[in-house]
Amino acid sequence: MEATSYIILIGSTLLIVSILTSYLALRIGTPLLLIFLSVGLLAGEDGIGGISFNDPDTAFLIGSMALAVILFESGLDTKFSSYRAAAWPALSLATVGVGVTTGVVGTAAHWLLDLPWIESMLVGAAVSSTDAAAVFFLLRVGGITIRDRVRSTLEIESGSNDPTAILLTIMLVEAAQHGWGTPMELGSFLVLQIVEGAALGLLGGATLAAFINNAKLDPGLSPVVTLTFALFIFAGTNVLGGSGFLAVYVAGLVAGNVKLRGAVDLRRFHSGLTWLSQIVMFVMLGLLATPREFGSIILPALGLAGLLILVARPLAVWLCLMPFRFTANETTFVAWVGLRGAVSMLLALVPVSANLPGGQIIFNTAFIVVIVSLLVQGWTIGPMARWLKLIVPPRRGPVERVELELPGDADQELVAYTVHAKSPAARGQKLPRFARPSLVIREGRVVPLHKARTLQGGDRVYLFSPPDQLPLIDKLFAGSRALDQDDREFYGDLVLNPDATVEQIAEMYGLPLSLSNATLTLRDLLRNEFGGACELGDRVRMGGVELIVRDMEDGRITSVGLALEPSAVTKPRVPLFQRPRQIWARVLSWWSRQSFRRWQRREHRRERRPAPLPPPSVSESEKEPEKQHG
């Protein structure tokens, strides 16, 4: 009993320390996951805590459960609209990208760590997957507002590439222990894992949603049911031979995109549970690590970390995003946001548990790579987004909104707003019927509705609204914001009517006109250019200017911006991340310049070369003997 109390005391103390230090980390901008890892290292065998924890099997069990919880919440918070915008680029990164990264890092590990080829590829497979917890946290909590297509690509990739990396790791460990199977066996194994994982995830997510909506459960029991279902789907799929990690992510995706009873409370519960899972997983892996063993591999591991960040990840991203409409700066950002985290260390535990000769070297190497990734990439995501001009300027000021879900099947939410002093509502704009408040609180007192027709800044208003109307209501109660120079670079210098035709704009601004597009409206031109999936900031070149999607409402373009000259938003910061045609054009341009300079140097040397001397003249007396001799 006493030993149990000591274990609980130590565990809760580590969690409390992690939470308190995370508050300090937010103040100074330190990646939180690095803080959690540092707490485990300091409390571990080589740290000041001196806690001895050397049980990789238990660590893998706890880590797998925590990762399943994180992936379920990742799917729960991902909308199908994100897949419509970024499904193919994200899935190509989650499959082909993982394979390319594994090959590049594994080949380098073979030479740097002097490991056999299979164990070297295990190093590559372990660090090939981006960490869902790290990416979701830095993009959603870190205050980085980037374009939807880029954000969705990163989030979907981080949530869906774990199963690919896990499959590679399992295949390589099986090959190290029992040898390679036939191509048919390997292919059937991959197909079974992916197909069965996706199918059971779909079935499990639909079953979970139906059960939550139809069973008359106590509201406090619904979160327990979703957690239990998630773990059941994960473990059951693994037992049946599928990918449990893929299944639990798909189940969360399905459940999160249908109407769920008590959805607000469920999301709040799983968000907190995901935080707990991250802390437990990182602290536990920090306890498991033995830093005194890092000395023998520190230089090769740092070399692999640099290769991963600067070569392997950028190469994989460039190859996978080449067919899609990503700018050079967006490709650069996706390449940089390739954070490695607990998943990499968890996969590196598999060779240790399998008793491979190089298992500990693989784990230690992955641990160092994760630390470098969190230090270098995790600390610089915000500055990198600003340097690449990818921050989306807000079109309105802050909005304070609290949503309260109503019990039963009512398709309404009780929403509370704090009216901003510079909002349209506070400036006297008439409220539409669907946005009229049911209760107004001013200076702590309830104001009768007939006396509160003119709202004031600071008023607290409560109203009932369908969820799909909230974006429109936000515009009424949020503060307005004037555009500055940086905003004009993103949204354009002028505002155009999207119903104007291309021919009208070409005549007005003296632009070249394509006869096939002459009768199209600007709205149709942009939709055709981007396959109907436009978003804010999408731009099309038209002669020397750019047409930009400036405002959208319910997926429909409501205003178009005109940039009179290409801005820094479209100028590539890293010329390497361009389309092959652009790179080839730059290569040809460089080659032609070099050829011209070589020609100039040859001509210059030819001009400076002294003229040849004329042949010596021969006198008549000297010519006569020759004639006689002849």
PDB file of all heavy atoms in Angstrom, residues 455-485:
ATOM      1  N   LEU A 455     -27.304  48.541 -28.953  1.00  0.00           N
ATOM      2  CA  LEU A 455     -26.301  47.886 -28.104  1.00  0.00           C
ATOM      3  C   LEU A 455     -25.097  48.787 -27.915  1.00  0.00           C
ATOM      4  O   LEU A 455     -24.805  49.662 -28.745  1.00  0.00           O
ATOM      5  CB  LEU A 455     -25.873  46.551 -28.731  1.00  0.00           C
ATOM      6  CG  LEU A 455     -26.974  45.500 -28.867  1.00  0.00           C
ATOM      7  CD1 LEU A 455     -26.443  44.272 -29.614  1.00  0.00           C
ATOM      8  CD2 LEU A 455     -27.501  45.085 -27.499  1.00  0.00           C
ATOM      9  N   GLN A 456     -24.387  48.562 -26.824  1.00  0.00           N
ATOM     10  CA  GLN A 456     -23.190  49.330 -26.501  1.00  0.00           C
ATOM     11  C   GLN A 456     -22.007  48.396 -26.331  1.00  0.00           C
ATOM     12  O   GLN A 456     -22.168  47.195 -26.055  1.00  0.00           O
ATOM     13  CB  GLN A 456     -23.403  50.137 -25.205  1.00  0.00           C
ATOM     14  CG  GLN A 456     -24.560  51.108 -25.256  1.00  0.00           C
ATOM     15  CD  GLN A 456     -24.765  51.813 -23.939  1.00  0.00           C
ATOM     16  OE1 GLN A 456     -23.972  51.675 -23.002  1.00  0.00           O
ATOM     17  NE2 GLN A 456     -25.854  52.580 -23.848  1.00  0.00           N
ATOM     18  N   GLY A 457     -20.801  48.960 -26.518  1.00  0.00           N
ATOM     19  CA  GLY A 457     -19.608  48.160 -26.297  1.00  0.00           C
ATOM     20  C   GLY A 457     -19.535  47.643 -24.871  1.00  0.00           C
ATOM     21  O   GLY A 457     -19.786  48.384 -23.923  1.00  0.00           O
ATOM     22  N   GLY A 458     -19.228  46.373 -24.705  1.00  0.00           N
ATOM     23  CA  GLY A 458     -19.169  45.760 -23.388  1.00  0.00           C
ATOM     24  C   GLY A 458     -20.437  45.046 -22.990  1.00  0.00           C
ATOM     25  O   GLY A 458     -20.441  44.316 -21.979  1.00  0.00           O
ATOM     26  N   ASP A 459     -21.527  45.239 -23.735  1.00  0.00           N
ATOM     27  CA  ASP A 459     -22.763  44.513 -23.431  1.00  0.00           C
ATOM     28  C   ASP A 459     -22.540  43.013 -23.609  1.00  0.00           C
ATOM     29  O   ASP A 459     -21.844  42.573 -24.515  1.00  0.00           O
ATOM     30  CB  ASP A 459     -23.893  44.958 -24.352  1.00  0.00           C
ATOM     31  CG  ASP A 459     -24.444  46.321 -23.969  1.00  0.00           C
ATOM     32  OD1 ASP A 459     -24.014  46.852 -22.924  1.00  0.00           O
ATOM     33  OD2 ASP A 459     -25.291  46.848 -24.710  1.00  0.00           O
ATOM     34  N   ARG A 460     -23.174  42.254 -22.734  1.00  0.00           N
ATOM     35  CA  ARG A 460     -23.160  40.803 -22.844  1.00  0.00           C
ATOM     36  C   ARG A 460     -24.514  40.381 -23.377  1.00  0.00           C
ATOM     37  O   ARG A 460     -25.548  40.588 -22.713  1.00  0.00           O
ATOM     38  CB  ARG A 460     -22.892  40.177 -21.473  1.00  0.00           C
ATOM     39  CG  ARG A 460     -22.651  38.681 -21.487  1.00  0.00           C
ATOM     40  CD  ARG A 460     -21.265  38.356 -21.974  1.00  0.00           C
ATOM     41  NE  ARG A 460     -20.940  36.950 -21.750  1.00  0.00           N
ATOM     42  CZ  ARG A 460     -19.824  36.388 -22.141  1.00  0.00           C
ATOM     43  NH1 ARG A 460     -18.914  37.117 -22.781  1.00  0.00           N
ATOM     44  NH2 ARG A 460     -19.577  35.111 -21.920  1.00  0.00           N
ATOM     45  N   VAL A 461     -24.552  39.815 -24.589  1.00  0.00           N
ATOM     46  CA  VAL A 461     -25.827  39.433 -25.200  1.00  0.00           C
ATOM     47  C   VAL A 461     -25.890  37.920 -25.323  1.00  0.00           C
ATOM     48  O   VAL A 461     -24.891  37.262 -25.611  1.00  0.00           O
ATOM     49  CB  VAL A 461     -26.007  40.104 -26.583  1.00  0.00           C
ATOM     50  CG1 VAL A 461     -26.009  41.609 -26.454  1.00  0.00           C
ATOM     51  CG2 VAL A 461     -24.933  39.666 -27.553  1.00  0.00           C
ATOM     52  N   TYR A 462     -27.083  37.392 -25.095  1.00  0.00           N
ATOM     53  CA  TYR A 462     -27.337  35.957 -25.216  1.00  0.00           C
ATOM     54  C   TYR A 462     -28.415  35.775 -26.277  1.00  0.00           C
ATOM     55  O   TYR A 462     -29.443  36.468 -26.263  1.00  0.00           O
ATOM     56  CB  TYR A 462     -27.814  35.372 -23.886  1.00  0.00           C
ATOM     57  CG  TYR A 462     -26.767  35.391 -22.798  1.00  0.00           C
ATOM     58  CD1 TYR A 462     -26.528  36.558 -22.062  1.00  0.00           C
ATOM     59  CD2 TYR A 462     -26.013  34.266 -22.506  1.00  0.00           C
ATOM     60  CE1 TYR A 462     -25.563  36.592 -21.069  1.00  0.00           C
ATOM     61  CE2 TYR A 462     -25.048  34.291 -21.511  1.00  0.00           C
ATOM     62  CZ  TYR A 462     -24.829  35.455 -20.799  1.00  0.00           C
ATOM     63  OH  TYR A 462     -23.857  35.484 -19.821  1.00  0.00           O
ATOM     64  N   LEU A 463     -28.182  34.831 -27.176  1.00  0.00           N
ATOM     65  CA  LEU A 463     -29.153  34.584 -28.235  1.00  0.00           C
ATOM     66  C   LEU A 463     -29.127  33.114 -28.642  1.00  0.00           C
ATOM     67  O   LEU A 463     -28.145  32.417 -28.414  1.00  0.00           O
ATOM     68  CB  LEU A 463     -28.891  35.488 -29.443  1.00  0.00           C
ATOM     69  CG  LEU A 463     -27.495  35.463 -30.060  1.00  0.00           C
ATOM     70  CD1 LEU A 463     -27.412  34.483 -31.227  1.00  0.00           C
ATOM     71  CD2 LEU A 463     -27.102  36.853 -30.540  1.00  0.00           C
ATOM     72  N   PHE A 464     -30.225  32.680 -29.248  1.00  0.00           N
ATOM     73  CA  PHE A 464     -30.322  31.322 -29.767  1.00  0.00           C
ATOM     74  C   PHE A 464     -30.090  31.368 -31.268  1.00  0.00           C
ATOM     75  O   PHE A 464     -30.657  32.217 -31.967  1.00  0.00           O
ATOM     76  CB  PHE A 464     -31.690  30.712 -29.450  1.00  0.00           C
ATOM     77  CG  PHE A 464     -31.960  30.546 -27.987  1.00  0.00           C
ATOM     78  CD1 PHE A 464     -32.658  31.516 -27.277  1.00  0.00           C
ATOM     79  CD2 PHE A 464     -31.492  29.432 -27.309  1.00  0.00           C
ATOM     80  CE1 PHE A 464     -32.892  31.374 -25.918  1.00  0.00           C
ATOM     81  CE2 PHE A 464     -31.723  29.284 -25.952  1.00  0.00           C
ATOM     82  CZ  PHE A 464     -32.421  30.255 -25.257  1.00  0.00           C
ATOM     83  N   SER A 465     -29.261  30.433 -31.762  1.00  0.00           N
ATOM     84  CA  SER A 465     -28.926  30.458 -33.181  1.00  0.00           C
ATOM     85  C   SER A 465     -28.564  29.060 -33.657  1.00  0.00           C
ATOM     86  O   SER A 465     -27.997  28.263 -32.901  1.00  0.00           O
ATOM     87  CB  SER A 465     -27.746  31.410 -33.420  1.00  0.00           C
ATOM     88  OG  SER A 465     -27.248  31.288 -34.732  1.00  0.00           O
ATOM     89  N   PRO A 466     -28.878  28.757 -34.931  1.00  0.00           N
ATOM     90  CA  PRO A 466     -28.352  27.513 -35.523  1.00  0.00           C
ATOM     91  C   PRO A 466     -26.828  27.631 -35.662  1.00  0.00           C
ATOM     92  O   PRO A 466     -26.291  28.728 -35.888  1.00  0.00           O
ATOM     93  CB  PRO A 466     -29.032  27.453 -36.895  1.00  0.00           C
ATOM     94  CG  PRO A 466     -30.172  28.406 -36.819  1.00  0.00           C
ATOM     95  CD  PRO A 466     -29.767  29.462 -35.848  1.00  0.00           C
ATOM     96  N   PRO A 467     -26.093  26.539 -35.519  1.00  0.00           N
ATOM     97  CA  PRO A 467     -24.632  26.612 -35.590  1.00  0.00           C
ATOM     98  C   PRO A 467     -24.101  27.196 -36.896  1.00  0.00           C
ATOM     99  O   PRO A 467     -23.075  27.871 -36.901  1.00  0.00           O
ATOM    100  CB  PRO A 467     -24.203  25.148 -35.417  1.00  0.00           C
ATOM    101  CG  PRO A 467     -25.338  24.489 -34.703  1.00  0.00           C
ATOM    102  CD  PRO A 467     -26.563  25.175 -35.187  1.00  0.00           C
ATOM    103  N   ASP A 468     -24.823  26.977 -38.014  1.00  0.00           N
ATOM    104  CA  ASP A 468     -24.292  27.456 -39.292  1.00  0.00           C
ATOM    105  C   ASP A 468     -24.422  28.965 -39.465  1.00  0.00           C
ATOM    106  O   ASP A 468     -23.868  29.537 -40.395  1.00  0.00           O
ATOM    107  CB  ASP A 468     -24.981  26.735 -40.457  1.00  0.00           C
ATOM    108  CG  ASP A 468     -26.501  26.903 -40.425  1.00  0.00           C
ATOM    109  OD1 ASP A 468     -27.028  27.455 -39.434  1.00  0.00           O
ATOM    110  OD2 ASP A 468     -27.167  26.482 -41.389  1.00  0.00           O
ATOM    111  N   GLN A 469     -25.166  29.642 -38.574  1.00  0.00           N
ATOM    112  CA  GLN A 469     -25.311  31.086 -38.666  1.00  0.00           C
ATOM    113  C   GLN A 469     -24.258  31.843 -37.855  1.00  0.00           C
ATOM    114  O   GLN A 469     -24.153  33.073 -37.961  1.00  0.00           O
ATOM    115  CB  GLN A 469     -26.705  31.507 -38.162  1.00  0.00           C
ATOM    116  CG  GLN A 469     -27.857  30.966 -38.973  1.00  0.00           C
ATOM    117  CD  GLN A 469     -28.050  31.727 -40.272  1.00  0.00           C
ATOM    118  OE1 GLN A 469     -27.240  32.566 -40.636  1.00  0.00           O
ATOM    119  NE2 GLN A 469     -29.122  31.430 -40.985  1.00  0.00           N
ATOM    120  N   LEU A 470     -23.469  31.123 -37.055  1.00  0.00           N
ATOM    121  CA  LEU A 470     -22.543  31.799 -36.153  1.00  0.00           C
ATOM    122  C   LEU A 470     -21.495  32.644 -36.879  1.00  0.00           C
ATOM    123  O   LEU A 470     -21.161  33.742 -36.409  1.00  0.00           O
ATOM    124  CB  LEU A 470     -21.865  30.771 -35.240  1.00  0.00           C
ATOM    125  CG  LEU A 470     -22.799  30.065 -34.247  1.00  0.00           C
ATOM    126  CD1 LEU A 470     -22.012  29.100 -33.376  1.00  0.00           C
ATOM    127  CD2 LEU A 470     -23.526  31.086 -33.382  1.00  0.00           C
ATOM    128  N   PRO A 471     -20.911  32.186 -38.019  1.00  0.00           N
ATOM    129  CA  PRO A 471     -19.943  33.055 -38.691  1.00  0.00           C
ATOM    130  C   PRO A 471     -20.523  34.408 -39.105  1.00  0.00           C
ATOM    131  O   PRO A 471     -19.828  35.427 -39.065  1.00  0.00           O
ATOM    132  CB  PRO A 471     -19.515  32.228 -39.916  1.00  0.00           C
ATOM    133  CG  PRO A 471     -19.746  30.809 -39.511  1.00  0.00           C
ATOM    134  CD  PRO A 471     -20.969  30.856 -38.653  1.00  0.00           C
ATOM    135  N   LEU A 472     -21.814  34.443 -39.486  1.00  0.00           N
ATOM    136  CA  LEU A 472     -22.436  35.706 -39.845  1.00  0.00           C
ATOM    137  C   LEU A 472     -22.657  36.583 -38.615  1.00  0.00           C
ATOM    138  O   LEU A 472     -22.463  37.809 -38.657  1.00  0.00           O
ATOM    139  CB  LEU A 472     -23.780  35.443 -40.538  1.00  0.00           C
ATOM    140  CG  LEU A 472     -23.724  34.664 -41.861  1.00  0.00           C
ATOM    141  CD1 LEU A 472     -25.135  34.421 -42.390  1.00  0.00           C
ATOM    142  CD2 LEU A 472     -22.909  35.431 -42.889  1.00  0.00           C
ATOM    143  N   ILE A 473     -23.043  35.964 -37.507  1.00  0.00           N
ATOM    144  CA  ILE A 473     -23.285  36.734 -36.287  1.00  0.00           C
ATOM    145  C   ILE A 473     -21.967  37.270 -35.735  1.00  0.00           C
ATOM    146  O   ILE A 473     -21.924  38.361 -35.151  1.00  0.00           O
ATOM    147  CB  ILE A 473     -24.029  35.863 -35.254  1.00  0.00           C
ATOM    148  CG1 ILE A 473     -25.338  35.346 -35.843  1.00  0.00           C
ATOM    149  CG2 ILE A 473     -24.306  36.639 -33.985  1.00  0.00           C
ATOM    150  CD1 ILE A 473     -26.088  34.396 -34.932  1.00  0.00           C
ATOM    151  N   ASP A 474     -20.875  36.513 -35.914  1.00  0.00           N
ATOM    152  CA  ASP A 474     -19.568  36.990 -35.465  1.00  0.00           C
ATOM    153  C   ASP A 474     -19.251  38.365 -36.055  1.00  0.00           C
ATOM    154  O   ASP A 474     -18.698  39.244 -35.380  1.00  0.00           O
ATOM    155  CB  ASP A 474     -18.474  35.999 -35.877  1.00  0.00           C
ATOM    156  CG  ASP A 474     -18.487  34.738 -35.035  1.00  0.00           C
ATOM    157  OD1 ASP A 474     -19.185  34.731 -34.005  1.00  0.00           O
ATOM    158  OD2 ASP A 474     -17.798  33.768 -35.405  1.00  0.00           O
ATOM    159  N   LYS A 475     -19.591  38.557 -37.334  1.00  0.00           N
ATOM    160  CA  LYS A 475     -19.264  39.815 -37.995  1.00  0.00           C
ATOM    161  C   LYS A 475     -20.022  40.990 -37.376  1.00  0.00           C
ATOM    162  O   LYS A 475     -19.559  42.132 -37.421  1.00  0.00           O
ATOM    163  CB  LYS A 475     -19.594  39.724 -39.483  1.00  0.00           C
ATOM    164  CG  LYS A 475     -18.770  38.686 -40.231  1.00  0.00           C
ATOM    165  CD  LYS A 475     -19.162  38.633 -41.701  1.00  0.00           C
ATOM    166  CE  LYS A 475     -18.341  37.594 -42.441  1.00  0.00           C
ATOM    167  NZ  LYS A 475     -18.708  37.524 -43.888  1.00  0.00           N
ATOM    168  N   LEU A 476     -21.209  40.732 -36.786  1.00  0.00           N
ATOM    169  CA  LEU A 476     -21.997  41.806 -36.195  1.00  0.00           C
ATOM    170  C   LEU A 476     -21.432  42.269 -34.866  1.00  0.00           C
ATOM    171  O   LEU A 476     -21.480  43.470 -34.549  1.00  0.00           O
ATOM    172  CB  LEU A 476     -23.447  41.340 -36.006  1.00  0.00           C
ATOM    173  CG  LEU A 476     -24.240  41.050 -37.280  1.00  0.00           C
ATOM    174  CD1 LEU A 476     -25.573  40.409 -36.929  1.00  0.00           C
ATOM    175  CD2 LEU A 476     -24.458  42.336 -38.071  1.00  0.00           C
ATOM    176  N   PHE A 477     -20.906  41.333 -34.069  1.00  0.00           N
ATOM    177  CA  PHE A 477     -20.483  41.675 -32.716  1.00  0.00           C
ATOM    178  C   PHE A 477     -18.964  41.800 -32.568  1.00  0.00           C
ATOM    179  O   PHE A 477     -18.478  42.185 -31.516  1.00  0.00           O
ATOM    180  CB  PHE A 477     -21.003  40.636 -31.720  1.00  0.00           C
ATOM    181  CG  PHE A 477     -22.498  40.567 -31.657  1.00  0.00           C
ATOM    182  CD1 PHE A 477     -23.181  39.470 -32.145  1.00  0.00           C
ATOM    183  CD2 PHE A 477     -23.243  41.616 -31.132  1.00  0.00           C
ATOM    184  CE1 PHE A 477     -24.557  39.403 -32.101  1.00  0.00           C
ATOM    185  CE2 PHE A 477     -24.625  41.562 -31.086  1.00  0.00           C
ATOM    186  CZ  PHE A 477     -25.287  40.453 -31.568  1.00  0.00           C
ATOM    187  N   ALA A 478     -18.200  41.457 -33.610  1.00  0.00           N
ATOM    188  CA  ALA A 478     -16.743  41.558 -33.545  1.00  0.00           C
ATOM    189  C   ALA A 478     -16.298  42.964 -33.929  1.00  0.00           C
ATOM    190  O   ALA A 478     -17.006  43.700 -34.618  1.00  0.00           O
ATOM    191  CB  ALA A 478     -16.098  40.535 -34.485  1.00  0.00           C
ATOM    192  N   GLY A 479     -15.110  43.319 -33.500  1.00  0.00           N
ATOM    193  CA  GLY A 479     -14.569  44.634 -33.819  1.00  0.00           C
ATOM    194  C   GLY A 479     -14.119  44.713 -35.265  1.00  0.00           C
ATOM    195  O   GLY A 479     -13.695  43.722 -35.860  1.00  0.00           O
ATOM    196  N   SER A 480     -14.247  45.882 -35.848  1.00  0.00           N
ATOM    197  CA  SER A 480     -13.748  46.106 -37.202  1.00  0.00           C
ATOM    198  C   SER A 480     -12.260  46.417 -37.150  1.00  0.00           C
ATOM    199  O   SER A 480     -11.735  46.845 -36.125  1.00  0.00           O
ATOM    200  CB  SER A 480     -14.505  47.254 -37.867  1.00  0.00           C
ATOM    201  OG  SER A 480     -14.352  48.439 -37.111  1.00  0.00           O
ATOM    202  N   ARG A 481     -11.590  46.248 -38.279  1.00  0.00           N
ATOM    203  CA  ARG A 481     -10.136  46.420 -38.309  1.00  0.00           C
ATOM    204  C   ARG A 481      -9.741  46.958 -39.680  1.00  0.00           C
ATOM    205  O   ARG A 481     -10.077  46.381 -40.703  1.00  0.00           O
ATOM    206  CB  ARG A 481      -9.444  45.078 -38.046  1.00  0.00           C
ATOM    207  CG  ARG A 481      -7.932  45.125 -38.088  1.00  0.00           C
ATOM    208  CD  ARG A 481      -7.366  43.740 -37.798  1.00  0.00           C
ATOM    209  NE  ARG A 481      -5.910  43.752 -37.891  1.00  0.00           N
ATOM    210  CZ  ARG A 481      -5.249  43.571 -39.022  1.00  0.00           C
ATOM    211  NH1 ARG A 481      -5.917  43.371 -40.143  1.00  0.00           N
ATOM    212  NH2 ARG A 481      -3.926  43.600 -39.047  1.00  0.00           N
ATOM    213  N   ALA A 482      -9.029  48.071 -39.681  1.00  0.00           N
ATOM    214  CA  ALA A 482      -8.563  48.645 -40.937  1.00  0.00           C
ATOM    215  C   ALA A 482      -7.362  47.880 -41.461  1.00  0.00           C
ATOM    216  O   ALA A 482      -6.550  47.363 -40.692  1.00  0.00           O
ATOM    217  CB  ALA A 482      -8.193  50.114 -40.736  1.00  0.00           C
ATOM    218  N   LEU A 483      -7.259  47.796 -42.791  1.00  0.00           N
ATOM    219  CA  LEU A 483      -6.145  47.093 -43.416  1.00  0.00           C
ATOM    220  C   LEU A 483      -4.898  47.973 -43.408  1.00  0.00           C
ATOM    221  O   LEU A 483      -4.965  49.163 -43.688  1.00  0.00           O
ATOM    222  CB  LEU A 483      -6.494  46.711 -44.850  1.00  0.00           C
ATOM    223  CG  LEU A 483      -7.666  45.759 -45.045  1.00  0.00           C
ATOM    224  CD1 LEU A 483      -7.835  45.439 -46.524  1.00  0.00           C
ATOM    225  CD2 LEU A 483      -7.473  44.487 -44.259  1.00  0.00           C
ATOM    226  N   ASP A 484      -3.759  47.374 -43.069  1.00  0.00           N
ATOM    227  CA  ASP A 484      -2.498  48.096 -43.159  1.00  0.00           C
ATOM    228  C   ASP A 484      -1.738  47.622 -44.397  1.00  0.00           C
ATOM    229  O   ASP A 484      -2.259  46.877 -45.220  1.00  0.00           O
ATOM    230  CB  ASP A 484      -1.657  47.919 -41.885  1.00  0.00           C
ATOM    231  CG  ASP A 484      -1.372  46.452 -41.571  1.00  0.00           C
ATOM    232  OD1 ASP A 484      -1.432  45.619 -42.506  1.00  0.00           O
ATOM    233  OD2 ASP A 484      -1.082  46.131 -40.408  1.00  0.00           O
ATOM    234  N   GLN A 485      -0.464  48.066 -44.522  1.00  0.00           N
ATOM    235  CA  GLN A 485       0.285  47.764 -45.729  1.00  0.00           C
ATOM    236  C   GLN A 485       0.478  46.261 -45.922  1.00  0.00           C
ATOM    237  O   GLN A 485       0.339  45.725 -47.024  1.00  0.00           O
ATOM    238  CB  GLN A 485       1.650  48.462 -45.692  1.00  0.00           C
ATOM    239  CG  GLN A 485       2.535  48.201 -46.898  1.00  0.00           C
ATOM    240  CD  GLN A 485       1.883  48.627 -48.193  1.00  0.00           C
ATOM    241  OE1 GLN A 485       1.230  49.651 -48.267  1.00  0.00           O
ATOM    242  NE2 GLN A 485       2.049  47.819 -49.240  1.00  0.00           N
TER     243      GLN A 485
END
